Amino acid sequence: MPFRVDPSLKDALADATRPLVGMWVSSGSALMAEICAGSGLDVVLVDGEHGPNGLEGILAQLQAVRGHPVTAVVRPPVNDAVVIKQYLDIGVQSLMVPMVHTAADAEAAAAAAHYPPRGVRGVGSALARSSRWNRIPDYVQRASETITVMVQIESAEAVGNVADILAVDGIDAIFLGPADLAASMGRLGAQDHPEVVAAVEHCIAAAKAAGKPAGVNAFAEATARHYLGAGAGLVVVGADVTLLARGSEGLAATYIPQ
């Protein structure tokens, strides 16, 4: 029986009648990923950059969330063609590539995600979950349709180059990382500094002008609503580990004398 390819993030963004809302799964736990996938949020983002995630763990999380009406996005630790190839082969369809500072960085990310002649992705579909071991008809010819490449704008240099990054063929969306952006602007820990907010807003506007979606990290509700008002198509509003940390601290504060 032929297998189908699930929609990727670019499909979800294109079909959405409102901005999408998501959360990080940074624990490396398939169980946590499954719980978050059933929450009613639109997107779960599996973090291979700051979370303890190897290939086997990411595969387990993809399998855990697949039965839920949610889009899985995976962030590799680095913009590297070999790592991206491995992620795609285990079935990642929506990539968030970190630390993209220039159009050349964006071109490298896009090339890594696509088979030749468009890119440099190694062809191993017969061995890979991505094609369901060649059970998806014409996978290698259609693979580019099934993959989303979102790149992270998280430095002052990237903000300056955002229009050129957005113009790269194969870049489907950008995602703003205000924490690293603030650090690169000399505002470490001050994600809500007016200069940082203005830089984020500038990038959202640039994406809108280019006809591509922009997403942003915004764990504080007021900040999230601000960026929604500024035109963000995806807002990531929390993480499994932070929810557990704050929730467990709340239990301790409630029941243990201080």
Side-chain angles (χ1 to χ4, degrees):
M1 181 180 71
F3 281 61
R4 64 180 172 83
V5 178
D6 295 329
S8 71
L9 180 63
K10 64 185 176 186
D11 302 309
L13 287 164
D15 293 342
T17 58
R18 56 166 176 77
L20 302 182
V21 181
M23 68 175 293
W24 290 103
V25 177
S26 299
S27 62
S29 164
L31 179 61
M32 293 288 275
E34 186 175 12
I35 292 169
C36 295
S39 66
L41 292 171
D42 303 302
V43 180
V44 292
L45 301 99
V46 178
D47 191 4
E49 183 186 23
H50 294 294
N53 273 309
L55 286 174
E56 292 85 354
I58 292 169
L59 172 58
Q61 289 168 79
L62 292 174
Q63 292 168 329
V65 307
R66 189 171 186 269
H68 296 270
V70 68
T71 299
V73 177
V74 184
R75 177 165 65 178
V78 64
N79 183 6
D80 178 84
V82 173
V83 173
I84 288 172
K85 172 181 65 180
Q86 291 180 307
Y87 275 41
L88 295 176
D89 280 354
I90 64 170
V92 173
Q93 289 179 246
S94 302
L95 288 163
M96 179 187 289
V97 181
M99 294 294 177
V100 169
H101 307 296
T102 66
D105 292 341
E107 289 167 358
H114 298 287
Y115 291 127
R118 185 176 181 182
V120 298
R121 179 184 175 188
V123 183
S125 59
L127 310 175
R129 179 177 179 267
S130 57
S131 70
R132 300 306 186 266
W133 305 277
N134 276 349
R135 290 169 177 163
I136 295 175
D138 303 319
Y139 174 79
V140 293
Q141 288 79 23
R142 299 175 48 227
S144 289
E145 303 170 15
T146 73
I147 293 167
T148 297
V149 181
M150 173 184 277
V151 296
Q152 284 201 256
I153 306 297
E154 45 189 343
S155 68
E157 181 183 12
V159 172
N161 292 323
V162 68
D164 292 336
I165 291 169
L166 284 159
V168 171
D169 179 49
I171 299 304
D172 299 299
I174 60 170
F175 189 86
L176 286 305
D180 281 303
L181 178 56
S184 79
M185 296 173 67
R187 303 291 183 183
L188 181 63
Q191 299 180 45
D192 292 330
H193 189 280
E195 293 177 3
V196 178
V197 173
V200 172
E201 291 172 339
H202 167 75
C203 292
I204 293 173
K208 185 176 181 180
K212 295 182 179 181
V216 62
N217 256 350
F219 286 15
E221 182 179 352
T223 305
R225 294 195 180 279
H226 176 82
Y227 289 137
L228 287 169
L234 166 65
V235 179
V236 178
V237 296
D240 59 343
V241 290
T242 57
L243 289 172
L244 182 58
R246 301 294 85 78
S248 58
E249 290 162 4
L251 290 174
T254 298
Y255 294 106
I256 296 177
Q258 303 298 307

